[in-house]
Amino acid sequence: MSLQKIAFIGAGNMSYAIISGLLAKGYKPEHITATNRNPTKLANVASTLKVNTTSDNLAAIDNADVVILAVKPQMIADLCRSIAESNVDYKNKLFISVAAGVTIERLHTLLNHPVKLVRAMPNTPSLLGKGVAGLYAKGTDEQDNQFVEQLFKSAGIVCWLEHEKQINDITAISGSSPAYFFLFMEAIEEKAKQLGFNQSQARQLVQQVALGASEMVAQQDLPISQLRANVTSKGGTTAAAINHFEKHNLTETVSGAMDQCIARAEEMEQQF
């Protein structure tokens, strides 16, 4: 991975995860700058990651080869306009946006220039190096794409998308889906407590089962449906639970929830 100067505009959890991954892969901290309006967050990043920090977005961008826009979607317009109206020579820099619901066309308009741009949709397990990032590029070359791929691989795996609209799809598949699993785990944990297990026991049981099931998917070259069937003896206790899920259309419920996620992402494209 080539050593380019990277500016993370918005030093939140996702930036922290990616920076941590880069440093673990040997990236030099002096080549990384993180910005944030919150001095406490900046101090934490500086003390734990030892990278450059500043509250001056424009100064960080001016000194960077690669600019990662990691602010909230509702803040992206003001940020991009401030860049476009500044004296910073930004037009040949590589931009990466992790702002959900903000299209490349919109970003080009806000920046007043068709900069090289990659939209990325990472997820929170990136904090543990177990993330997924969907990537879509516009105006970049192979060298740019290789750099972006290695950058996000420092925090997990990547999936390149053929069409920009697939950013909304992968938001439903991997961007938002950790919350789906947490909700399911939360439901099991709550039932365990109702059955008399204490909070600590319920938490340990649920997290170990989730970890074990995930590892079985990762390590066994079998369809997920087969792994489920292997646990489900005909007429047994697991079959009784699975039958209840099927009776209440769990598969359709999950599909509908993902459709709602995609629809909301499409709505956000009209807002921002």
Side-chain angles (χ1 to χ4, degrees):
M1 187 177 185
S2 60
L3 278 175
Q4 301 194 57
K5 290 183 287 186
I6 309 173
F8 287 82
I9 309 303
N13 289 338
M14 196 55 65
S15 292
Y16 192 98
I18 297 169
I19 294 171
S20 298
L22 286 171
L23 297 177
K25 298 288 186 183
Y27 212 88
K28 297 187 184 224
E30 58 266 30
H31 281 69
I32 298 172
T33 299
T35 78
N36 199 288
R37 296 183 300 181
N38 186 318
T40 302
K41 287 186 178 181
L42 271 189
N44 179 58
V45 170
S47 64
T48 57
L49 300 180
K50 311 300 182 186
V51 298
N52 304 308
T53 59
T54 179
S55 58
D56 188 335
N57 291 334
L58 295 177
I61 293 168
D62 193 34
N63 192 46
D65 304 306
V66 178
V67 179
I68 300 180
L69 304 175
V71 300
K72 295 178 180 179
Q74 56 266 35
M75 299 170 60
I76 201 76
D78 287 343
L79 171 62
C80 288
R81 289 192 186 102
S82 72
I83 297 170
E85 294 169 1
S86 72
N87 293 321
V88 174
D89 184 9
Y90 65 91
K91 295 182 178 180
N92 293 316
K93 299 179 187 292
L94 172 62
F95 282 78
I96 302 169
S97 172
V98 299
V102 187
T103 65
I104 286 178
E105 180 181 5
R106 177 62 173 156
L107 287 165
H108 281 166
T109 298
L110 291 169
L111 289 168
N112 199 30
H113 189 76
V115 297
K116 297 183 295 182
L117 187 56
V118 176
R119 282 189 68 190
M121 176 49 62
N123 65 3
T124 53
S126 299
L127 290 164
L128 304 178
K130 300 290 185 180
V132 177
L135 304 173
Y136 177 78
K138 181 79 170 180
T140 58
D141 58 29
E142 185 61 28
Q143 185 176 351
D144 294 326
N145 292 345
Q146 286 181 0
F147 179 84
V148 174
E149 179 169 323
Q150 291 302 311
L151 187 151
F152 282 97
K153 276 186 174 180
S154 69
I157 66 170
V158 303
C159 178
W160 283 99
L161 308 174
E162 294 184 8
H163 308 287
E164 186 176 8
K165 74 172 295 292
Q166 291 178 294
I167 283 283
N168 296 334
D169 298 338
I170 205 164
T171 298
I173 296 167
S174 60
S176 298
S177 62
Y180 315 160
F181 289 95
F182 295 151
L183 179 62
F184 195 75
M185 293 168 69
E186 185 181 357
I188 299 174
E189 181 186 53
E190 184 59 33
K191 183 62 176 180
K193 290 189 291 185
Q194 291 175 14
L195 292 170
F197 295 88
N198 64 38
Q199 175 64 52
S200 177
Q201 291 171 324
R203 171 62 181 258
Q204 288 182 339
L205 290 169
V206 170
Q207 70 185 35
Q208 187 66 16
V209 170
L211 179 62
S214 179
E215 283 297 308
M216 290 182 73
V217 171
Q219 295 185 24
Q220 297 190 26
D221 189 20
L222 290 172
I224 296 175
S225 60
Q226 185 61 52
L227 290 170
R228 175 192 47 79
N230 290 347
V231 188
T232 313
S233 300
K234 186 175 181 180
T237 56
T238 305
I242 296 298
N243 288 340
H244 184 82
F245 285 136
E246 291 178 341
K247 180 181 178 181
H248 289 81
N249 298 319
L250 176 63
T251 300
E252 292 181 17
T253 298
V254 172
S255 177
M258 294 173 70
D259 286 340
Q260 288 295 309
C261 182
I262 293 168
R264 178 55 185 148
E266 292 172 347
E267 288 176 358
M268 290 173 66
E269 290 180 347
Q270 303 306 313
Q271 294 175 347
F272 302 120

